[in-house]
Amino acid sequence: MTSTPPIINLTPPRLDEDCIAQRITCIRPKRAKALKLEGQIVDGKLIMHNYGAGGIGWTLLFGLVDHSVRQFEELVASNPQFANRPIRIIGAGCMGLYTAIGLHKKGYQVAITAKEIEDITSYKAAGIVAPSKITTGKSAHEAALIERLALSAYATYMAIANGTHPYISAGARHIPLYAYPGNDDTDFTLTHYVTAGLISPPTTVMIDFGTGKRYQVAHYETLFIDTVTLMNRLHDLCRTAGIVITKAHVTHFNDLVEDVIFNCSGLGATALNSDAAMVPVQGHLIALKHQPAAPAHEYIIHARVQTVGRNGYPRTEYVYFVPKGEGMLGTSYITCQAGLDTNAHEFDRILQRARNFF
Ligand SMILES: Cc1cc2nc3c(=O)[nH]c(=O)nc-3n(C[C@H](O)[C@H](O)[C@H](O)COP(=O)(O)OP(=O)(O)OC[C@H]3O[C@@H](n4cnc5c(N)ncnc54)[C@H](O)[C@@H]3O)c2cc1C
């Protein structure tokens, strides 16, 4: 006999036109097949690359940066001409800021140059700990590395959420995530984290929005990454440490006087490092306002739904809801699109999907 799953009553987001605060477009800095996480010596400069994590940069942040700093120290051990040199970091996204802080904590003299400081992807991202797809399509070697870095990043987010991180006091919190359809763990699963004992195995529950819409879903107790809070915190830490951030566009590594450079330029690496493997992946998000007071919306929805595209063909799309600000809906995933003004019809599609779902 199958038992009925427990019912969880949730307050749905308000989705009327006057509840739309902002329509946001941003670009995932994805590198096809493999992200770029390595050092190389070019024209007498040591360039440490860390870019290309696409839609999972926040998920991997602490793992990627700690690994990059370790790679740097290993390279310096065999190339002592780069020891104790001032370091320039290109990029003020989450990768660049945290790299600067990590290096500063180890006693290095660091400074940042960034083309843009505020209106960038790292602020705009949704903040979901990305699921097992992190290893899809990767070589066995890269999949193993990414899994390891994802677990170590998650452990750092746990420390932030638990208040035990030594210097990051805010930016991640515990939250229930409801994944639909709940019986399809090929689509959304945090299996790597569950196997490592960082997340409890999912349970099956029925979520009910009180609107006539209820769904059987997989319930994970996981973390929400509050990307704006964490970016602000990383900026505070840079300020306190005296790390100077200069706003400028670097067109060539030789433009910089430093001979040790961390390249955390995200999509900018396409031109800066002549990297043809970079693929811009456009995403649309909708920030909400006039929502019920917290904690009514303290949950994440990750739902896969079947829709019909503008060409009349069936499409698999997603309904995301995260408690960012007053609430945020997502998202599109359009590869090879670097423009911030194109595909504005995606906002209507996101809204329509959300209205159908909730
Ligand atoms: C719609 C959307 C939703 C997302 N949601 C999630 C999520 O839920 N979970 C998750 O894990 N990830 C998510 N991401 C992905 C995540 O936001 C990115 O992987 C991450 O922010 C990348 O950080 P970054 O520091 O590498 O790049 P960026 O934030 O893009 O920063 C790059 C920096 O480099 C600078 N720069 C570039 N070129 C140059 C140059 N030539 N000279 C000087 N400076 C330069 C830029 O101005 C900027 O300061 C999402 C992304 C999008 C688009």
Side-chain angles (χ1 to χ4, degrees), residues 107-351:
Y108 296 101
Q109 187 192 328
V110 290
I112 299 174
T113 296
K115 191 168 64 171
E116 298 293 339
I117 296 171
E118 271 149 22
D119 190 22
I120 56 175
T121 295
S122 288
Y123 273 105
K124 297 177 181 176
I128 301 175
V129 174
S132 65
K133 279 189 248 166
I134 51 180
T135 54
T136 306
K138 306 280 189 291
S139 68
H141 173 74
E142 203 200 8
L145 174 67
I146 288 184
E147 181 173 345
R148 191 157 52 79
L149 300 183
L151 296 179
S152 100
Y154 195 87
T156 303
Y157 282 117
M158 287 273 273
I160 297 171
N162 293 340
T164 55
H165 191 280
Y167 55 88
I168 303 181
S169 51
R173 58 186 197 257
H174 295 277
I175 198 163
L177 180 150
Y178 303 107
Y180 173 82
N183 57 358
D184 181 358
D185 70 357
T186 56
D187 190 55
F188 188 97
T189 169
L190 295 166
T191 305
H192 302 298
Y193 304 91
V194 172
T195 308
L198 292 169
I199 294 183
S200 301
T203 58
T204 300
V205 300
M206 187 74 78
I207 52 171
D208 189 326
F209 291 106
T211 54
K213 298 288 174 70
R214 50 160 54 186
Y215 302 91
Q216 185 165 308
V217 296
H219 168 199
Y220 295 87
E221 278 301 317
T222 176
L223 296 172
F224 172 58
I225 306 167
D226 184 337
T227 57
V228 172
T229 300
L230 204 35
M231 282 297 284
N232 290 340
R233 185 73 194 118
L234 295 177
H235 270 287
D236 288 347
L237 286 164
C238 284
R239 250 189 311 275
T240 310
I243 298 168
V244 174
I245 305 180
T246 306
K247 193 168 175 179
H249 184 181
V250 180
T251 52
H252 196 282
F253 298 120
N254 287 338
D255 292 352
L256 301 171
V257 293
E258 292 84 357
D259 51 19
V260 178
I261 296 167
F262 277 70
N263 175 17
C264 303
S265 61
L267 205 56
T270 317
L272 186 58
N273 199 34
S274 307
D275 192 337
M278 286 300 286
V279 181
V281 182
Q282 190 186 46
H284 297 79
L285 298 161
I286 297 178
L288 300 174
K289 61 181 178 181
H290 304 326
Q291 299 298 310
H297 283 164
E298 196 57 10
Y299 60 80
I300 296 175
I301 297 289
H302 182 290
R304 188 189 66 198
V305 293
Q306 296 305 319
T307 61
V308 177
R310 293 204 307 166
N311 54 11
Y313 288 108
R315 265 170 79 167
T316 298
E317 292 182 300
Y318 293 87
V319 177
Y320 288 179
F321 174 76
V322 293
K324 182 171 178 177
E326 285 198 50
M328 180 173 265
L329 298 173
T331 181
S332 62
Y333 192 94
I334 306 172
T335 50
C336 300
Q337 292 281 330
L340 290 177
D341 300 321
T342 51
N343 299 313
H345 62 271
E346 289 294 336
F347 293 117
D348 294 336
R349 294 184 58 80
I350 288 169
L351 206 51

